[in-house]
Amino acid sequence: MDLDTVRTFVAAADAGQFQEAAAELAVTQQAVSKRIAALERNLGVRLFTRTPRGAELTIDGQAFLPHARELLRVAERAVASVRTGRRPLRVDMLASRSAASGLMRGFHRVYPEIELDVVMLFDIETAIAAIRSGAIDASFRAVAVPGRPLPEDIDSVRVLDEALQLLTGPAHALAGARSVTVAQLAGHRIWMPGIVPGTEWAAYYDDLVAEFGLTIEATGPNFGSDALLDTIADTPALATFMGEQTRLVWPAGHGLRRIPVTDPTPVYPHSLLWQRDNPHPALATLRTHLAATATGHDAAGTWTPSWTIPH
């Protein structure tokens, strides 16, 4: 059903005259008559009868009027749901306990009036496709994948360099250290189930291994962070890497240790990705907020792969 004809019908019903409806809609009286006639043909009934005073609704017109008003209200709600600035800002992050989640919580505290939808997509290719289709407005991603540059219509900015820490159980050989150097990690088994070949985080750890001769194992099923913490707590021979700003809680009896890694400190470079012509006003607000709170990048004494997202 043509909404213009429905809108014209409601205007004519409210005005009681086609001429006044034409003035309200900024069209000619002839156009109003043609639209009403088209709607009547579509419905198969007469909606108005002409009188010396103008146009009066028939019984069918009276029955149709409340439904016509509802049709226009539904159409307006449909448009408003996707109108720039009226729908929530949709942002993707890798995990709910990640540093990106902390960045978005900080943004929400400063701008509680901005509605947010947070989603969690698997990898950078999925995230980029969602950005380009309009399914999401922005995505936090750690690094790009070597040899697969970002599309020309996707912009990115580095927003956080997150230091890696070593997580050990209480019986691990390094558990008592206040900090460990990268060189001290050589020969120790670092267990990180869930690293998927071809993802941006797999590429990051591949480079970390190649640069420093570390042993990172991704064997076994990934049962999530709770199972990982249980295993690290009970297995003296295993440790894992954890982002400095990753939020985790474990039972007191686990006795887990989070130990800073130094000389150099490997940092995970989080970036925000978005489509260049995305007009959502809250996206600009988010970028400004992140720029004001961003940490320094490539600081002395830190390490990132050479192919990380440009900033």
Side-chain angles (χ1 to χ4, degrees), residues 1 11 21 31 57 67 69 72 80 109 135-136 142 155-156 186-187 191 206 216 220 223 228 234 244 292 296 302:
M1 185 175 295
L57 289 172
H67 301 290
R69 295 191 195 279
L72 297 180
R109 283 193 294 270
I136 61 174
D155 277 340
S156 69
W191 187 51
D206 285 346
I216 295 181
F223 290 116
L228 172 66
D234 294 338
E244 181 182 41
T302 62

Side-chain angles (χ1 to χ4, degrees), residues 78-228:
V79 172
S81 71
V82 295
R83 184 177 292 146
T84 299
R86 296 288 296 276
R87 64 165 177 78
L89 182 71
R90 302 186 186 110
V91 181
D92 159 58
M93 62 184 66
L94 203 53
S96 61
R97 295 174 175 176
S98 66
S101 178
L103 292 175
M104 287 307 298
R105 287 196 302 272
F107 175 70
H108 182 60
R109 283 193 294 270
V110 177
Y111 298 98
E113 73 281 4
I114 293 178
E115 289 190 67
L116 296 173
D117 278 345
V118 175
V119 301
M120 295 177 198
L121 302 177
F122 180 68
D123 62 6
I124 194 168
E125 299 298 334
T126 303
I128 288 175
I131 291 172
R132 300 183 84 183
S133 71
I136 61 174
D137 296 296
S139 175
F140 287 95
R141 291 287 144 180
V143 289
V145 179
R148 286 150 65 185
L150 295 175
E152 291 185 358
D153 60 331
I154 300 296
D155 277 340
S156 69
V157 63
R158 189 105 144 249
V159 295
L160 174 67
D161 280 0
E162 182 185 16
L164 293 189
Q165 295 180 335
L166 188 72
L167 185 74
T168 76
H172 192 276
L174 299 174
R178 291 190 175 183
S179 65
V180 295
T181 66
V182 177
Q184 286 177 286
L185 298 179
H188 289 279
R189 294 169 61 198
I190 300 171
W191 187 51
M192 301 190 68
I195 294 181
V196 179
T199 59
E200 67 267 29
W201 62 91
Y204 175 86
Y205 285 108
D206 285 346
D207 265 34
L208 187 63
V209 167
E211 183 80 13
F212 300 108
L214 304 184
T215 302
I216 295 181
E217 301 177 5
T219 55
N222 179 19
F223 290 116
S225 60
D226 290 342
L228 172 66

Side-chain angles (χ1 to χ4, degrees), residues 245-262:
Q245 298 190 28
T246 300
R247 296 167 58 93
L248 292 174
V249 177
W250 53 80
H254 275 19
L256 295 173
R257 313 284 199 270
R258 295 181 74 147
I259 305 169
V261 180
T262 62

Side-chain angles (χ1 to χ4, degrees), residues 1-2 5 31-45 47:
M1 185 175 295
D2 187 344
T5 63
V32 169
S33 297
K34 288 184 176 180
R35 291 179 184 179
I36 297 297
L39 183 60
E40 289 176 331
R41 285 195 302 272
N42 187 21
L43 296 173
V45 297
L47 298 172

